[in-house]
Amino acid sequence: MSASREKQNRLEQAEAGVVDSKEINEMEQRLDAIEEFLAEGVDCDEYGEYAERSTGCYNNICNYSFVLMGAMLDREELFEYPRRNIRLMYHFIEPDGSVNTLNSTRWDNSGAYTIAPYYPHYVLLGLIDRDPEFAYMADWLYEKYGDFVLGDRL
């Protein structure tokens, strides 16, 4: 191997090390941010209602976030918030699959939304918990909405 090729290889390895250390540093910063966020307390009551009471929007953002954090950080306790919330959603679902948004304090108040975006939460927590009610909801949502519920979420 020529000297210039060896030098190029060492440079590429050094660059890879810089990228790796940068990625590690960024991951540590993200983990610190997650811990700071969690230290503020979670705005979910004992029934599963998040502070915004947003069945059309905010609930899903929170549920996705807690499921993702729980899985990535191996922190089972973070599943408790979406678990409570999707159980609460039984009380907000209409027979046609639409959800009641009249309680919402956000822009989705009085809007037309369905339960379909909750599908991944019912599937994942149904599998994790082996919960037959969550499994039933996942099946019902898939039967009702077909591949639409899969979208690009899973």
Side-chain angles (χ1 to χ4, degrees), residues 77-119:
E77 73 272 14
L78 296 178
F79 296 142
E80 186 56 31
Y81 307 109
R83 186 179 285 131
R84 280 188 255 160
N85 182 259
I86 64 174
R87 240 181 247 297
L88 175 71
M89 288 306 298
Y90 298 151
H91 303 284
F92 289 94
I93 303 169
E94 300 295 338
D96 67 352
S98 63
V99 294
N100 180 331
T101 59
L102 296 176
N103 283 359
S104 180
T105 62
R106 295 179 65 92
W107 54 267
D108 62 335
N109 182 290
S110 301
Y113 296 89
T114 72
I115 192 70
Y118 289 80
Y119 175 77

Side-chain angles (χ1 to χ4, degrees), residues 9-19:
N9 283 345
R10 286 196 310 275
L11 177 61
E12 289 172 1
Q13 289 172 351
E15 288 172 347
V18 168
V19 169

Side-chain angles (χ1 to χ4, degrees), residues 112-133:
Y113 296 89
T114 72
I115 192 70
Y118 289 80
Y119 175 77
H121 314 310
Y122 285 111
V123 169
L124 293 171
L125 292 172
L127 291 169
I128 291 168
D129 296 349
R130 299 193 187 289
D131 185 307
E133 289 181 2

Side-chain angles (χ1 to χ4, degrees), residues 27-40:
M27 181 57 76
E28 288 173 356
Q29 290 174 348
R30 288 184 189 120
L31 292 173
D32 289 344
I34 289 170
E35 291 303 327
E36 285 178 31
F37 166 76
L38 293 172
E40 294 174 8

Side-chain angles (χ1 to χ4, degrees), residues 20 28 32 41 44 50 53 65 86 109 117 127 143-144 147 152:
D20 288 345
E28 288 173 356
D32 289 344
C44 184
Y50 293 108
R53 299 189 318 254
S65 298
I86 64 174
N109 182 290
L127 291 169
E143 286 174 20
K144 182 158 186 59
D147 288 341
D152 60 359

